[in-house]
Amino acid sequence: MGIEQSHGSSWYESRINPAVSGMKGSPIRAFDQRVSSIPRILRLTLGEPDFPTPEHIKVAAERSLAANRTHYSPSPGTPGLRAAIRDYLARRRGLRYDVSQIIVTEGAYEALSSVLRTLLQPGAGLIVPSPSFGLYRSLAYVNGAELVEVDTEPTGFRLTPGALQTAVERMRDSPRVVILLNSPCNPTGVAYTREELEGFADVVRGSEALVVSDEVYSEIVFDAPHASLAGILPERTVLVDSASKSYAMTGWRVGYFAAPRPLVPALSRAHQTAVGSVSTIAMDAAQEAFENGDADIEAMSAEYRSRRDHLTAWMREAGFDFVHPQGAFYLYARIPEGFAGTSTRFALDLAEKARVAVIPGDAFDARGSRYFRISYAASLDMLHEAVRRIHGCLDAVVSGGSTDRDENDGKDDEK
């Protein structure tokens, strides 16, 4: 008899940190996995650029390999990449940082994890506009913090200074408060203007809160230049970003955070205990991206804009209401009123009947949602065919909607 049989599963479970035991997997990935095996399915689920990494970036990785840069790298990142990020932030966003304030991470996931592990603690509060990327909820839970989700649907899915002020006042007895902003936003595509951010900054100045600004979609904006709270309130803001979306480098796993100087030592320790350091080869490739990839950004962003414009026109013709996306590559569409089930049931029915995979709004809103997210990081032909399929079977989906059927939607796997 093996040790697993002799001890039983409960013996092992009792040795797991309760904070980890209670964590759940990504609802986005769980739903994508659930429907991806359906024959001829069109997957508009994951938020991943469909472009290949630009050639000059791949060549930089080849040069790194040829130079035998295959050993341990500095924990904060290579000097060349940190300098390239510093210059990129100044050139593209008007943000001024010293290299010492920038730490390279294993993608934005690790940046967010290390930053929030440092700033949160039991009894602390994390304020997040909702709907939002589910990782934020997981990080609040695993760090023992109270999660305060601010419902933005009544204000067009835009956080307002008044709503933020109310959330901050609710947490006035908390020992620590962190506000997490995501602009452009996943899943809605909302991008905040500088004027709106100035309003948020006024609220933050009147409190003891720190801000974590998730700006991974900052280079995919359509209607106005990207605005960053780090440019308004740098002394209270930790900026999180990555090469993944901007340069089609999701698989390279290179992100970073830029922080106020007094926070850097503690944040650096959290990063070092999480991953040690990032791959030197990946960092050399990212350095090439940040130094010489402006044209790549412009070309891909222009294509996303074209896709947005076509997709919104097609979805409007199909009778859908949706949040007009100002950035990122997502369309957040409202489920037709006649559908009686949840957003998860609606997305399952679209997958089964229309052979189109989207992400239910339940993945972004713990209270339940009447929306679903389409990723338009896909070709125009695929998007057009997807809308055609959805429109063609929409009556059957709506009339068949029911709360009585099995809706095991992966919530048990949610982050």
Side-chain angles (χ1 to χ4, degrees):
M1 179 181 292
I3 187 172
E4 293 86 352
Q5 289 79 15
S6 64
H7 284 81
S9 60
S10 61
W11 185 87
Y12 292 98
E13 290 168 1
S14 69
R15 279 146 179 80
I16 298 173
N17 182 337
V20 176
S21 293
M23 291 179 68
K24 299 175 181 179
S26 165
I28 297 173
R29 291 184 178 272
F31 189 87
D32 176 70
Q33 183 177 9
R34 180 173 182 179
V35 300
S36 61
S37 61
I38 295 175
R40 303 182 306 282
I41 193 85
L42 296 180
R43 292 171 61 205
L44 304 177
T45 48
L46 301 183
E48 179 174 28
D50 60 318
F51 301 104
T53 301
E55 195 65 26
H56 67 104
I57 298 173
K58 293 187 285 186
V59 169
E62 293 170 358
R63 288 197 301 266
S64 182
L65 276 170
N68 293 315
R69 288 175 57 79
T70 55
H71 301 283
Y72 284 130
S73 60
S75 181
T78 59
L81 175 54
R82 296 169 79 195
I85 293 171
R86 174 203 61 195
D87 296 344
Y88 157 84
L89 289 172
R91 181 179 73 250
R92 301 278 307 178
R93 305 196 211 170
L95 302 178
R96 305 295 173 183
Y97 288 100
D98 186 79
V99 167
S100 64
Q101 295 175 268
I102 297 168
I103 305 297
V104 180
T105 61
E106 189 85 1
Y109 251 74
E110 188 257 307
L112 287 165
S113 179
S114 293
V115 168
L116 291 179
R117 182 155 58 99
T118 304
L119 300 181
L120 296 179
Q121 57 185 282
L126 180 65
I127 297 173
V128 178
S130 179
S132 65
F133 186 44
L135 177 66
Y136 307 153
R137 295 195 295 273
S138 289
L139 292 175
Y141 175 82
V142 76
N143 289 292
E146 179 181 351
L147 178 66
V148 177
E149 295 188 272
V150 182
D151 182 11
T152 63
E153 185 173 356
T155 50
F157 292 100
R158 307 187 77 87
L159 180 68
T160 65
L164 180 60
Q165 181 68 51
T166 299
V168 169
E169 290 174 356
R170 173 180 166 182
M171 300 301 299
R172 62 181 178 271
D173 295 329
S174 173
R176 303 286 186 273
V177 175
V178 175
I179 300 165
L180 206 162
L181 292 177
N182 176 212
S183 178
C185 177
N186 175 13
T188 62
V190 163
Y192 291 105
T193 65
R194 184 175 179 87
E195 183 180 12
E196 289 174 303
L197 294 176
E198 291 278 9
F200 301 155
D202 288 342
V203 175
V204 175
R205 291 189 189 99
S207 74
E208 296 295 315
L210 284 168
V211 178
V212 176
S213 185
D214 181 350
E215 301 182 21
V216 297
Y217 298 101
S218 59
E219 291 289 5
I220 308 173
V221 290
F222 310 126
D223 303 325
H226 174 70
S228 173
L229 194 66
I232 300 170
L233 205 61
E235 70 277 12
R236 300 280 284 278
T237 303
V238 180
L239 168 67
V240 170
D241 199 357
S242 82
S244 293
K245 316 295 185 178
S246 301
Y247 301 105
M249 294 181 67
T250 51
W252 299 78
R253 308 314 303 137
V254 180
Y256 66 91
F257 58 78
R261 290 180 190 275
L263 291 177
V264 172
L267 293 172
S268 298
R269 291 193 295 272
H271 157 68
Q272 189 175 57
T273 58
V275 300
S277 62
V278 177
S279 158
T280 304
I281 298 160
M283 285 194 284
D284 288 347
Q287 179 178 334
E288 169 66 20
F290 284 109
E291 288 178 345
N292 300 306
D294 288 9
D296 303 313
I297 289 173
E298 303 300 339
M300 287 187 278
S301 184
E303 180 62 24
Y304 290 132
R305 182 196 303 270
S306 174
R307 295 172 182 181
R308 179 206 60 173
D309 293 345
H310 282 85
L311 180 61
T312 54
W314 294 331
M315 289 290 283
R316 192 174 294 113
E317 290 174 4
F320 282 95
D321 294 326
F322 49 82
V323 184
H324 182 71
Q326 300 166 307
F329 37 62
Y330 305 115
L331 184 76
Y332 206 50
R334 186 165 180 81
I335 295 168
E337 293 299 328
F339 187 81
T342 66
S343 68
T344 299
R345 184 68 259 170
F346 182 80
L348 285 170
D349 283 356
L350 283 186
E352 293 164 0
K353 297 178 180 179
R355 298 294 191 268
V356 176
V358 299
I359 297 297
D362 293 340
F364 309 101
D365 192 333
R367 296 161 299 186
S369 171
R370 293 295 299 172
Y371 285 78
F372 63 96
R373 189 194 77 176
I374 295 176
S375 170
Y376 52 89
S379 70
L380 279 175
D381 287 344
M382 180 182 289
L383 293 171
H384 197 192
E385 173 63 13
V387 177
R388 187 194 68 78
R389 291 186 187 184
I390 292 171
H391 194 197
C393 74
L394 190 58
D395 287 345
V397 171
V398 171
S399 63
S402 171
T403 57
D404 295 330
R405 289 178 291 166
D406 175 27
E407 293 186 13
N408 181 13
D409 54 10
K411 286 185 178 179
D412 290 342
D413 297 322
E414 184 181 335
K415 280 192 291 301

